[in-house]
Amino acid sequence: MRRLPLIRLLLALLCAAAPAKAQQNGFDLAGPELKLRVTRGETTLPIGAVPSLQPGDKVTAEAALPPDQSAHYLLVVAFLRGATNPPPKDWFFVAETWRKKKNRLELTVPQGAEQAVLLLAPDTGGGFDAVRDAVRGRPGVFVRVAQDLFQASLDRARLDAFVAAIARIGDTAPDRLATAAPVLANALRIKLNADCLARPRGLQAACLTQNRDSLVLQTQRGTTLAETLTGTPADLAYSIAATPQAGGGYYSSYIGLARDVAKLFGAFRSPQYQYLPALALGRGDTLKLLLNAAPSFQSPRSVLAAPLPPIGPATPPIWQAGGPTPICLAQPRLTLPLEDAPLLYATDFGRSLSVRVTSNEGKTRDFPVVPDVEKGGIRLEGTVPADLGTVSNAVLQGRWGFDGFTGPRLPVQLDAMGAWRAVPDSAVVVGRDHPLVLRGGAAFCVSQIALGDPAGTRTPVSFKVTGQDELTMTLPLKDAKPGALTLNVARFGTAPPDTIPLVARLEASRLDRFVVHEGDREGVLEGARLDQVTGLEWRGLHFTAGALSRGAEGDRLAMAVESAVPAGDGEAVVRLRDGRTAKLAARASAPRPVATLLSRAAAGKSASNGLPIALPDGVLRADAGIDFSFRITRGTLGDGGSVEVAGADGPSARLSFRDGALQRVGQDVVVAHFAPRALLGAGVAGPLRFRLVQNGTPGDWQPLATLARLPKLDRLSCPADDAACTLTGDDLFVLAAIGDKADLAGATMVPLGFVGSSITVPRPAGKMLYLRLHDAPDSVAAVTLPG
């Protein structure tokens, strides 16, 4: 981690003009403006849209000085190739800004260049040679200055975007500051003083933007807004994805304080020139310079040093969707939230942005989007047509500077007409509030539900989203009459509502059976109109009514008891809400089989010639077979019994003694073997569970293991002079995070849906890498690096 903040390095260059303690920390003095454009191939972009340069790029530059400019400036562009390798003399280009025919630079980025710095030097005769000799004499200083000034310029761009947004909202709608300020701070990684939001509205904007030098955070990815609000230390490293220096871990110039390090660079002073750092903020083709000290036009005169974008491949933006909850594409004024995207809002690097939507039928549509910092995401331009069909996949795409990018995948929803159906059927019971479940459509696209009766009366119905394609509600049928009813499910957008016919009927109270097993603490009462049941007494045990659900043959009411159910039979007394009681014969069935997991292991692991990945206990490869053993602790598992295995939400399958998947070891220990992908499908991954089944009676589900798809990691390449490394391999999309610490502090986040074969990560401090897998988000895998 680099420990010297930018200000410590740059203030040394000012030592000749004033003592270090007199320097300003903030870059608040407006300097000159320049006009720059960059051409790569047939594409020309303004400097504000260029995150990095490439060898061979054509650059045009000129100073935009006022007509009455009296001081003559030399505009110098210098290319650098390393801290210990002085650049050749022909890597320096100069324009005389006061001469009409010589005030413009047209140059090509040379092969081998790694950094570029722009200097404005007062003309004193021989000034160009003096500046060139100074840079070639101490190239390492200017390499560091170029890197840190560019990073600080990005930090300042985020700060300016925050201040401008707060001022705009404070002037036009101050009542919105309390809700908008936290979103702005999170989107731009700015430290938010929550106390400001408790002040009178007229004072909030000024409070939020005071002490600007301490507002810019370099927080880790994953740091929550709540932590920021409650005082998370502001010196945590924040990786800016658009720069080759991402993940360096150094302090922001807006956090570190100026320190007296003039002695480190005192030799840099000359009778002719001193050097002043300048931030470079690009908007459009204008590069605006900001200074932190007033320049001198007396000897030694001030040379302004500002960065150009770094030279090399631009790292594509590493953004994440704002959360796993899907968003309906038909919502009005739709904004899709993004995380870790501060430069999208603070710079012009992102352009031609669109969301590619793919329907389940394979149709694709591209919808333009624009960044919206006040909502912390990208705003859809226009509306999504109702004929797009069912959609569950959307990907952000566009250009980052000159380069195209794809990702991240955005969780969205859209459905077609007729998607919703009542579960288990459309029969409802009047005389009580009736629970109902709808499945099949896009749950987050439902705007309202209404119940209609034959007389035309429409009654709004409250509902809850209990799954991406599931809605749960309670129909107000206490005073309804039997007959035909309709449920109207309205969607966002222009799509017409679904109309679901319901059949309402009277149903008398009925007690069919009480199902309970020896050793359990819960039974199930089956019948009709069980919403009237409050409790049940049986053999001295008091059962209380729990959740009511609708089964294929009527109501099912869960009945809980505090102690384990003993063996035997007897008469149960059912208590109703109106004080009446009813009797029902009941018998405790044989104990449901219960097992304790003893051991588990992957069998026949797939061979891999890449870097070895060690999985924690309980996480197994998805492409391997599984051996596990268990002890039967209650009930029995006869030769006709089986073990049911299932994923978290997927299909289940059974293992039996007859097919050889189960084998006994002693009286009560069983060993099982199966191949998850062959048994449950090729896409099985994530938590796996099992339960015993004897004579058709299943035991409780128990966790078995977590199946994880693994990448093939080929190598980690770390250039000698670079703070970043490149990890290459296949199937990197299964990774969620990569870091060099077991707790994944400061880890590099892998975008959801990432399809590349390499990713940039910080240089590891030791010989280990740690991985978080999408299939096992609560566990950490380890990779031992060679050498």
Side-chain angles (χ1 to χ4, degrees):
M1 180 181 292
R2 289 184 281 181
R3 295 295 184 184
L4 285 178
L6 171 66
I7 296 299
R8 290 184 60 188
L9 182 68
L10 299 178
L11 284 178
L13 303 179
L14 311 179
C15 60
K21 64 181 180 181
Q23 301 301 327
Q24 300 178 29
N25 298 339
F27 288 78
D28 295 323
L29 295 178
E33 294 184 357
L34 301 102
K35 299 289 186 182
L36 288 95
R37 300 185 73 83
V38 180
T39 301
R40 184 177 301 170
E42 298 181 355
T43 302
T44 298
L45 295 180
I47 189 63
V50 180
S52 70
L53 300 171
Q54 290 271 37
D57 285 352
K58 308 293 184 183
V59 181
T60 61
E62 60 181 310
L65 301 176
D68 59 350
Q69 175 71 33
S70 59
H72 290 176
Y73 272 107
L74 296 173
L75 172 59
V76 180
V77 173
F79 292 98
L80 310 166
R81 60 181 179 187
T84 60
N85 193 3
K89 291 185 177 181
D90 60 359
W91 281 17
F92 292 79
F93 303 86
V94 62
E96 297 175 345
T97 60
W98 66 94
R99 300 183 187 275
K100 290 185 178 181
K101 295 185 179 181
K102 296 183 178 181
N103 65 348
R104 177 186 177 92
L105 285 178
E106 295 184 358
L107 52 91
T108 300
V109 178
Q111 294 291 331
E114 299 176 4
Q115 299 289 338
V117 64
L118 186 150
L119 303 109
L120 281 172
D123 179 52
T124 59
F128 173 60
D129 292 336
V131 170
R132 181 175 59 189
D133 292 344
V135 176
R136 297 186 74 241
R138 298 288 294 276
V141 171
F142 285 93
V143 167
R144 182 67 180 273
V145 165
Q147 292 177 344
D148 289 355
L149 275 179
F150 186 74
Q151 178 65 65
S153 298
L154 297 179
D155 289 345
R156 179 54 182 261
R158 292 192 285 128
L159 174 62
D160 285 356
F162 177 77
V163 172
I166 291 294
R168 180 173 62 252
I169 297 172
D171 290 342
T172 59
D175 56 311
R176 291 180 47 231
L177 273 178
T179 55
V183 177
L184 289 168
N186 190 46
L188 293 163
R189 296 303 191 205
I190 298 296
K191 185 174 180 62
L192 182 68
N193 183 356
D195 293 338
C196 293
L197 301 178
R199 296 191 177 188
R201 289 179 182 173
L203 303 177
Q204 288 178 359
C207 177
L208 288 168
T209 55
Q210 67 183 356
N211 301 323
R212 298 184 184 182
D213 290 355
S214 63
L215 293 180
V216 179
L217 295 177
Q218 284 185 307
T219 49
Q220 293 172 313
R221 284 195 177 90
T223 299
T224 65
L225 178 60
E227 289 171 336
T228 302
L229 291 175
T230 54
T232 293
D235 56 356
L236 298 176
Y238 175 66
S239 300
I240 297 294
T243 66
Q245 293 78 32
Y250 50 88
Y251 293 94
S252 167
S253 60
Y254 289 95
I255 298 172
L257 299 177
R259 294 177 174 88
D260 185 8
V261 292
K263 61 182 180 180
L264 295 178
F265 296 97
F268 222 63
R269 177 190 178 188
S270 72
Q272 187 177 10
Y273 286 139
Q274 62 173 340
Y275 291 82
L276 289 183
L279 301 185
L281 302 184
R283 280 294 183 184
D285 63 355
T286 299
L287 202 63
K288 180 181 179 181
L289 303 188
L290 295 178
L291 313 176
N292 74 335
S296 171
F297 296 96
Q298 296 179 343
S299 295
R301 291 174 170 83
S302 299
V303 177
L304 309 184
L308 287 178
I311 300 172
T315 302
I318 304 177
W319 302 330
Q320 301 180 71
T325 302
I327 296 176
C328 181
L329 280 173
Q331 281 192 21
R333 299 177 296 277
L334 174 64
T335 299
L336 300 170
L338 288 179
E339 291 289 344
D340 294 326
L343 294 186
L344 176 66
Y345 312 117
T347 70
D348 295 334
F349 295 161
R351 58 191 189 88
S352 302
L353 302 176
S354 65
V355 170
R356 170 156 292 182
V357 175
T358 303
S359 70
N360 291 5
E361 294 76 29
K363 299 178 182 178
T364 61
R365 298 269 188 94
D366 292 342
F367 298 97
V369 293
V370 295
D372 190 333
V373 67
E374 291 187 24
K375 294 184 179 180
I378 49 174
R379 188 178 70 253
L380 197 69
E381 295 281 82
T383 58
V384 175
D387 63 349
L388 191 57
T390 302
V391 171
S392 59
N393 183 45
V395 177
L396 177 63
Q397 59 186 8
R399 306 200 73 81
W400 191 251
F402 289 98
D403 303 324
F405 71 89
T406 300
R409 182 181 178 275
L410 304 170
V412 298
Q413 273 195 337
L414 197 66
D415 59 11
M417 286 187 59
W420 290 106
R421 66 184 187 280
V423 177
D425 53 43
S426 59
V428 296
V429 177
V430 298
R432 65 175 185 180
D433 291 339
H434 187 94
L436 184 69
V437 175
L438 298 183
R439 288 192 187 136
F444 294 94
C445 285
V446 175
S447 58
Q448 59 183 355
I449 296 178
L451 180 67
D453 62 17
T457 302
R458 294 171 61 89
T459 304
V461 177
S462 300
F463 62 92
K464 292 182 179 180
V465 176
T466 51
Q468 294 190 13
D469 64 343
E470 182 178 276
L471 302 173
T472 301
M473 67 207 70
T474 300
L475 301 183
L477 301 179
K478 191 172 183 179
D479 299 322
K481 296 180 180 180
L485 301 175
T486 58
L487 200 63
N488 292 280
V489 182
R491 299 176 173 84
F492 292 113
T494 59
D498 272 3
T499 300
I500 302 174
L502 302 177
V503 178
R505 57 185 175 85
L506 286 171
E507 187 174 25
S509 296
R510 185 182 77 244
L511 302 177
D512 292 341
R513 67 187 64 85
F514 179 51
V515 180
V516 65
H517 291 271
E518 181 185 340
D520 281 1
R521 296 177 184 271
E522 186 178 73
V524 175
L525 183 63
E526 297 180 354
R529 295 298 309 272
L530 299 184
D531 57 309
Q532 300 300 313
V533 175
T534 60
L536 181 148
E537 308 290 337
W538 179 72
R539 300 193 64 197
L541 299 177
H542 176 66
F543 291 80
T544 57
L548 176 67
S549 60
R550 177 77 178 175
E553 298 179 358
D555 289 346
R556 291 172 56 87
L557 181 65
M559 307 295 295
V561 65
E562 292 185 357
S563 57
V565 172
D569 55 15
E571 191 174 60
V573 178
V574 180
R575 300 189 179 280
L576 304 178
R577 293 186 185 279
D578 59 6
R580 293 179 300 159
T581 60
K583 295 182 179 181
L584 180 70
R587 178 185 179 85
S589 301
R592 293 190 300 153
V594 176
T596 300
L597 184 66
L598 299 177
S599 180
R600 64 205 160 188
K605 294 182 179 180
S606 300
S608 174
N609 55 3
L611 300 176
I613 301 176
L615 296 175
D617 183 48
V619 180
L620 303 177
R621 299 180 62 104
D623 59 354
I626 290 181
D627 290 328
F628 70 98
S629 61
F630 57 87
R631 184 185 303 275
I632 302 170
T633 57
R634 194 175 78 197
T636 61
L637 189 67
D639 291 341
S642 61
V643 173
E644 187 174 6
V645 180
D649 301 310
S652 64
R654 293 191 178 184
L655 312 176
S656 69
F657 293 99
R658 295 189 181 93
D659 60 19
L662 301 179
Q663 298 186 53
R664 295 188 188 278
V665 183
Q667 293 295 322
D668 57 358
V669 175
V670 177
V671 175
H673 172 80
F674 70 102
R677 288 187 171 178
L679 193 68
L680 301 173
V684 63
L688 203 63
R689 53 184 180 160
F690 79 102
R691 65 180 178 182
L692 309 188
V693 180
Q694 179 65 38
N695 298 328
T697 300
D700 291 330
W701 286 109
Q702 300 181 65
L704 173 57
T706 299
L707 297 182
R709 296 163 293 175
L710 299 184
K712 177 179 176 293
L713 304 180
D714 294 333
R715 62 184 179 279
L716 182 71
S717 302
C718 298
D721 298 329
D722 202 335
C725 300
T726 300
L727 181 65
T728 58
D730 297 326
D731 297 336
L732 300 184
F733 64 88
V734 303
L735 299 177
I738 307 168
D740 63 350
K741 299 180 180 64
D743 61 358
L744 290 176
T748 296
M749 307 303 295
V750 181
L752 193 65
F754 179 74
V755 294
S757 59
S758 65
I759 190 168
T760 301
V761 299
R763 180 186 292 271
K767 294 297 183 182
M768 298 292 293
L769 278 181
Y770 297 93
L771 313 175
R772 176 173 288 123
L773 304 166
H774 283 298
D775 296 336
D778 298 327
S779 303
V780 177
V783 178
T784 303
L785 301 175

